[in-house]
Amino acid sequence: MWACLEDPQHKFRRSLVATEDVSRGTTLIEETPLFLTVDDANKGRVCSVCLKILDGCDLISCSSCNEAVHCSTECQKDHPPIFCHLLLQLNNIRNEELDEADGQDLTEIRLMLDVLTKIQGNEKMYNKFVNLVSNWDLFPPESKWKFGNQANIIETILMKNPTSNMSHDEIAESLARIQCNALGLQDIEGRKYAVGIFENISMMNHSCQPNVTTSFHGTTARIRSIQDIPSGSELNHIYCDIYQHRDARRRCLNETYRFVCQCPLCLQHEILDLNLKGFRCNTPQCQGLVMPQDDEKDSNECDANFFSKCNLCHVDRNTRQLRREELQMTSTLHSAMSLLHFGGSLSSTLNFKLNSS
């Protein structure tokens, strides 16, 4: 139904392509990750083995590392002792690098420890990992510094538990490889609970107009088509929030994955960006949109220097005033959503929003 193809001009550029016509709603892939770790924010509420969310359930804490929790004695037995020892060292490190690392850095470090555990003495698993793209040469110095800092922490851990002969530079590039290929496993409400690297799904490329969707069920990822896909078409899912305007999407993708998106939506973006980023013209009977300027000028300049024209009636609108109106509306919306979140009824929340407008 699909195949993984390699671009002959780019060694690490691979894609998943439909080998036959695919109907909408078809399940194309179901797989579990090669490498996996619980997200840093959830390490005390998600089983480290099966990823069952343990809210309100009895927890079995690991007596060795005090990092992992389990939902059953069966999962506890499946927790690799080597990985447990590495987590223990991570938990015990109190050096400057670890103090400065944020939660996402620690998630990546734990995922790298899982990689080192599983590739040790396993050439097949090692090749699957190192054959993933790292885009190392495309990362700026500040990103390489971050990867190097994380590599220092991992080397400190490996000094007491030598499970790898990777050099510092190889570990740093491996962390870049993790950033470019790891997927966040999310529940039905979009909350991330784990991070993993998949043998096939991690080969899929991004499009702001995806033709498949990804859902997660414990440790299993499921890829399903959301439209009819002709044979020979590439399977694309999303790497970022596609409900942003093009510049924001491209900035996110370039900062994390080091590429500039060239999907059809990004190449033909003007009308969509007007709807995502623009403001409705307030000229009577006009249905046009005003695209605000990037407010990069001196903040002391007068409002008269910040005008944009409506795309239909061409009337000038003061875009600084539009920004202020946007902030007011956003504040009102956040207040309304907070009211709903903390027990207000939907009707009272809507009334709050309308009366505050």
Side-chain angles (χ1 to χ4, degrees):
M1 191 174 296
W2 59 268
C4 180
L5 301 183
E6 185 171 317
D7 188 335
Q9 297 181 347
H10 302 86
K11 177 182 177 182
F12 293 105
R13 208 284 183 179
R14 301 178 182 87
S15 58
L16 300 190
V17 176
T19 55
E20 58 185 75
D21 291 341
V22 176
S23 300
R24 182 176 61 179
T26 301
T27 298
L28 294 163
I29 304 173
E30 283 190 349
E31 67 175 335
T32 56
L34 298 171
F35 312 104
L36 176 70
T37 189
V38 174
D39 181 65
D40 190 62
N42 292 283
K43 62 181 181 180
R45 61 184 290 265
V46 176
C47 178
S48 298
V49 176
C50 71
L51 300 185
K52 179 181 178 181
I53 297 176
L54 302 172
D55 291 342
C57 301
D58 292 334
L59 303 177
I60 303 176
S61 297
C62 178
S63 58
S64 299
C65 66
N66 293 320
E67 275 275 310
V69 297
H70 310 289
C71 65
S72 65
T73 54
E74 287 76 14
C75 282
Q76 187 177 28
K77 292 176 182 178
D78 289 338
H79 189 54
I82 297 177
F83 185 55
C84 188
H85 293 155
L86 297 177
L87 287 181
L88 176 62
Q89 296 303 319
L90 177 61
N91 192 44
N92 290 337
I93 288 177
R94 292 293 181 266
N95 57 23
E96 183 177 353
E97 291 87 356
L98 185 58
D99 290 339
E100 293 179 353
D102 60 24
Q104 181 60 37
D105 288 340
L106 295 179
T107 300
E108 293 171 352
I109 289 172
R110 284 203 305 277
L111 186 55
M112 186 64 205
L113 294 178
D114 188 54
V115 170
L116 293 174
T117 299
K118 291 177 178 175
I119 66 176
Q120 182 185 22
N122 190 328
E123 184 178 358
K124 184 178 180 180
M125 190 71 81
Y126 171 81
N127 289 333
K128 287 180 179 180
F129 178 69
V130 297
N131 284 332
L132 294 170
V133 64
S134 72
N135 285 335
W136 178 256
D137 293 337
L138 301 179
F139 277 102
E142 57 269 24
S143 295
K144 292 182 178 180
W145 180 89
K146 184 195 80 167
F147 296 135
N149 190 42
Q150 293 173 322
N152 290 337
I153 297 171
I154 292 171
E155 284 191 312
T156 302
I157 295 171
L158 295 179
M159 288 175 62
K160 296 185 178 181
N161 293 274
T163 59
S164 172
N165 57 1
M166 273 192 181
S167 68
H168 178 275
D169 290 346
E170 288 173 327
I171 294 174
E173 183 173 352
S174 294
L175 288 159
R177 185 172 289 111
I178 285 174
Q179 180 166 308
C180 288
N181 293 278
L183 275 70
L185 283 70
Q186 301 177 346
D187 63 20
I188 195 171
E189 296 181 2
R191 295 173 299 191
K192 185 169 69 172
Y193 59 87
V195 177
I197 295 177
F198 293 80
E199 181 173 5
N200 296 302
I201 297 176
S202 290
M203 297 286 187
M204 292 180 64
N205 293 312
H206 166 86
S207 173
C208 300
Q209 284 185 314
N211 52 16
V212 303
T213 185
T214 308
S215 60
F216 301 97
H217 312 270
T219 59
T220 301
R222 180 177 297 143
I223 300 294
R224 181 172 293 172
S225 59
I226 56 176
Q227 63 187 54
D228 293 339
I229 304 174
S231 178
S233 299
E234 184 175 355
L235 307 180
N236 294 116
H237 64 164
I238 59 173
Y239 291 5
C240 69
D241 179 4
I242 59 174
Y243 297 106
Q244 306 177 87
H245 58 85
R246 187 192 69 166
D247 291 346
R249 297 195 307 271
R250 281 186 163 180
R251 182 166 54 250
C252 173
L253 292 168
N254 192 41
E255 288 176 355
T256 305
Y257 304 100
R258 308 310 300 172
F259 72 90
V260 177
C261 186
Q262 300 290 335
C263 74
L265 191 64
C266 285
L267 296 178
Q268 301 174 358
H269 67 98
E270 289 84 0
I271 297 300
L272 180 63
D273 275 7
L274 273 174
N275 283 278
L276 289 173
K277 192 178 180 182
F279 294 89
R280 179 68 65 187
C281 178
N282 65 349
T283 302
Q285 308 303 318
C286 180
Q287 298 297 312
L289 294 164
V290 181
M291 179 64 77
Q293 299 177 16
D294 290 330
D295 196 352
E296 296 178 351
K297 297 183 180 180
D298 188 343
S299 59
N300 293 323
E301 291 191 41
C302 66
D303 285 355
N305 293 326
F306 291 87
F307 278 88
S308 294
K309 291 183 181 295
C310 170
N311 69 324
L312 293 184
C313 71
H314 306 296
V315 170
D316 286 333
R317 292 294 309 278
N318 187 311
T319 52
R320 276 195 167 174
Q321 178 61 32
L322 291 173
R323 294 289 192 195
R324 288 192 285 267
E325 293 173 5
E326 179 187 25
L327 290 174
Q328 292 173 354
M329 289 186 289
T330 301
S331 176
T332 300
L333 178 60
H334 287 169
S335 298
M337 295 309 294
S338 296
L339 178 64
L340 178 61
H341 178 72
F342 290 108
S345 67
L346 180 60
S347 60
S348 64
T349 303
L350 292 174
N351 287 333
F352 174 84
K353 290 166 66 178
L354 292 172
N355 293 332
S356 302
S357 299

